[in-house]
Amino acid sequence: LRATSWRKVPEMASSQAEDQSLARVWSDAVFRLTASRGEEDSLLEEWQGLVELLDRDADLKAVMVSPLVKNEEKRQLIEKSFRGRASDLFVDSLQVMRSKGRLGLVRFVAAAFHDTWMAAKNQVEVRVTSAVPLSPELRQNLVAAASKFAGRSAQLVEKVDPALLGGLVVRVGDDKFDDSVARELELLLAAFAARGSRELPRIQEYIHNSEESSRGV
């Protein structure tokens, strides 16, 4: 399985931190059960699919999380929408969340389940934002360097942001490295350079100029 862009949990505020902590409890309980059955891969896909569905269907999302919609109506909606299309374990998990008034945590539970799955598979998500699309060579070198850095198999998630003006931002798991301050990123870039990536001189020049500018040189 590959890490994809479905994962869009917002930056944490205090209430979001509480939601995320609570979602972790739900996620861990479900993961232990699915792992004991060898069904964790398929359930991860179902959680991801649900988040993508709610992103596309604003009406479904509104009904599921609205406190104005009766619990029985939500129960019937979940059964009609998912029973027979998704695993019974997944549908039953949603029904338990519904009965406890926790459907608003769906996105957080999906993200927590993804994190637990990655850790269990000895993988780490590497999110890369670059000014231009990565070349195949740079992509391969980045995955290799990040895997070595993290000690786990790196799964790359890419985003292009022209506003970076030739820069590069790399997040390995919870560690973020940007090309103006991060010493660790310089080590990654050195690893790329050793493999002869053509983009690196331009990125390294950008790092140097940014550092000089920050010192007022």
Side-chain angles (χ1 to χ4, degrees):
L1 293 177
R2 297 177 54 214
T4 57
S5 59
W6 64 272
R7 194 175 186 273
K8 303 175 184 175
V9 174
E11 296 296 324
M12 283 196 301
S14 57
S15 61
Q16 291 169 347
E18 183 179 349
D19 287 345
Q20 191 175 57
S21 178
L22 185 57
R24 175 69 65 182
V25 174
W26 284 87
S27 170
D28 287 349
V30 175
F31 188 87
R32 285 195 297 270
L33 181 57
T34 57
S36 69
R37 301 180 180 183
E39 299 174 359
E40 66 271 27
D41 291 358
S42 59
L43 203 71
L44 174 64
E45 293 181 352
E46 290 177 332
W47 279 116
Q48 293 176 348
L50 175 60
V51 172
E52 292 169 352
L53 174 62
L54 295 179
D55 284 343
R56 296 193 306 267
D57 193 333
D59 291 337
L60 176 62
K61 178 180 178 180
V63 171
M64 287 185 65
V65 303
S66 174
L68 301 179
V69 178
K70 294 181 179 179
N71 216 14
E72 175 60 20
E73 293 178 6
K74 291 182 180 181
R75 186 194 69 80
Q76 294 179 12
L77 175 65
I78 291 173
E79 290 296 314
K80 181 179 179 180
S81 299
F82 302 110
R83 186 71 72 182
R85 298 181 176 87
S87 67
D88 286 342
L89 179 58
F90 177 72
V91 180
D92 292 343
S93 297
L94 289 180
Q95 292 289 22
V96 173
M97 291 181 67
R98 171 201 55 78
S99 68
K100 301 297 184 181
R102 299 301 186 186
L103 287 178
L105 297 178
V106 162
R107 184 179 293 279
F108 289 98
V109 172
F113 193 94
H114 171 263
D115 290 344
T116 303
W117 184 93
M118 293 286 282
K121 302 297 181 179
N122 198 34
Q123 297 185 17
V124 63
E125 184 176 275
V126 180
R127 305 185 71 85
V128 181
T129 305
S130 56
V132 296
L134 301 177
S135 69
E137 184 178 10
L138 182 54
R139 183 179 299 112
Q140 179 181 356
N141 291 340
L142 178 57
V143 168
S147 297
K148 183 176 181 179
F149 174 85
R152 289 186 279 168
S153 177
Q155 301 296 320
L156 202 63
V157 178
E158 301 176 39
K159 177 182 177 181
V160 175
D161 182 2
L164 287 177
L165 300 176
L168 184 72
V169 176
V170 180
R171 184 184 291 275
V172 181
D174 294 327
D175 297 321
K176 181 180 179 181
F177 310 112
D178 66 60
D179 56 4
S180 62
V181 298
R183 186 175 186 83
E184 290 85 352
L185 182 57
E186 294 179 9
L187 298 178
L188 292 179
L189 291 173
F192 302 153
R195 300 194 180 198
S197 175
R198 289 189 296 272
E199 288 90 344
L200 290 178
R202 177 165 57 87
I203 297 174
Q204 289 170 323
E205 180 181 0
Y206 179 80
I207 294 173
H208 175 75
N209 292 340
S210 296
E211 290 178 343
E212 293 297 309
S213 177
S214 66
R215 298 190 195 103
V217 176

